[in-house]
Each structure stands twice: as C-alpha cells, then as structure tokens.
Amino acid sequence: MTERFVISVHRNLVVSPEEVWGVTSNSSRFGEWVSNVLEVNAHPGEAKPGDVFTERVRSIGPLVSRPTWTVRTFEPMSSRIDSAEGLAPLRDVINVFRFAPIGDGSATSMTYEFHYDLRPRPFGWLVHRVLSKVMTAEFDNSMRALEALILSERSNAAH
C-alpha cells in the first residue's frame, strides 16, 4: 500500500496573474525560476495538455534526477497541473501551480503543490519529513525568484 503525501507552499506575489502565467505556462523557462531545476530539455515552450518535457533537477544534496513531465491540465491564469516519471523512489508525482488575483489584479496569490506516493510505506513519513523541509524552502525560494524575474523583465521593458 502507498501513502499519498502533499507539500504545499503559498505566497502572495506583487506581480499580476497575467505576468505570472506568462512565465509559468512556458516550460522552457522553469530553469530561470524553479530553484532545483538545473536545465530543461526537450520542452514544448508554451505548454498545452499532453506536452512532454524533461528536466535535470537537483534532488537532495548532490543527487540529480532526470524526470519526464507531462502537462495534464491548465486553466490560463488559474492553474497548471503536470505529472512526472523518473523521480524514484517517489511515484505518481503531480506538480500543481494555482493562481488567483489579489485586489485590483496587480498582485497574485500563488500556491505551489507537490503530490506523491512513496514506497516502502514504513519509511514514507520519515522521508516525507525530510523532503517537506527541503522542498518547502525550495518552493518558497522559487516563488521569490519568479517574482524577481518578472519584476526584472518589467523594469527592462520600461527602459
């Protein structure tokens, strides 16, 4: 039997949902803001359901994985859901980005979720505790980097 685990981090960004979607909907740009992505290979660019892309990612410490992701669903400026293979010992990995406008729409509420199963069961909670600490910090860093990237691009466009 497997255990289903979820790591979820929320952050309010001072950039619009349109700007956030412009970056997060493009798989080729993940290496620019997702803190553990070392490179994105074989990407479709602007994502659509069914697209497949591969990454080279830092797992824990010096460990590197090469997952293959499939875009499952997305609702522009609202959510994107991808699934992955190749992140052993994690199984049935789902990555979810959720977005909502804040106030007048000039800011964004973002939630970054990572869902997975882990075998063998007796070690699941122990591994989850370690992963949760590391990944919570990485997700927060990634959302900060996303915000900084968008602000930088906005500033460059103004000049």
Side-chain angles (χ1 to χ4, degrees):
M1 179 171 218
T2 61
E3 288 287 333
R4 192 78 179 148
F5 298 100
V6 177
I7 299 167
S8 181
V9 178
H10 175 264
R11 183 163 197 72
N12 289 335
L13 309 177
V14 296
V15 293
S16 73
E18 292 83 5
E19 291 170 307
V20 171
W21 184 255
V23 176
T24 60
S25 66
N26 189 333
S27 306
S28 68
R29 299 199 65 188
F30 282 8
E32 297 176 51
W33 65 275
V34 179
S35 66
N36 69 331
V37 173
L38 302 171
E39 67 181 314
V40 181
N41 304 301
H43 56 80
E46 190 73 25
K48 61 185 179 303
D51 283 346
V52 174
F53 63 99
T54 60
E55 295 175 326
R56 190 167 62 89
V57 299
R58 187 178 57 258
S59 298
I60 293 182
L63 301 177
V64 174
S65 298
R66 290 174 172 76
T68 298
W69 293 89
T70 301
V71 179
R72 295 298 175 193
T73 62
F74 70 84
E75 295 291 327
M77 293 174 284
S78 176
S79 68
R80 174 180 173 158
I81 301 172
D82 299 342
S83 62
E85 295 179 3
L87 289 168
L90 309 182
R91 298 174 183 243
D92 301 321
V93 173
I94 303 289
N95 194 75
V96 180
F97 298 134
R98 298 185 199 282
F99 317 102
I102 298 172
D104 65 0
S106 62
T108 305
S109 170
M110 181 175 178
T111 302
Y112 191 153
E113 297 176 359
F114 189 79
H115 302 243
Y116 63 96
D117 291 333
L118 183 62
R119 297 177 190 166
R121 184 176 185 184
F123 301 106
W125 284 105
L126 176 62
V127 172
H128 175 69
R129 228 177 303 174
V130 171
L131 282 179
S132 184
K133 286 180 183 177
V134 171
M135 293 178 77
T136 295
E138 287 203 4
F139 292 174
D140 189 63
N141 288 338
S142 294
M143 288 187 285
R144 287 175 191 267
L146 173 63
E147 182 178 53
L149 174 66
I150 293 167
L151 290 171
S152 173
E153 289 178 351
R154 187 192 291 169
S155 175
N156 290 340
H159 292 115

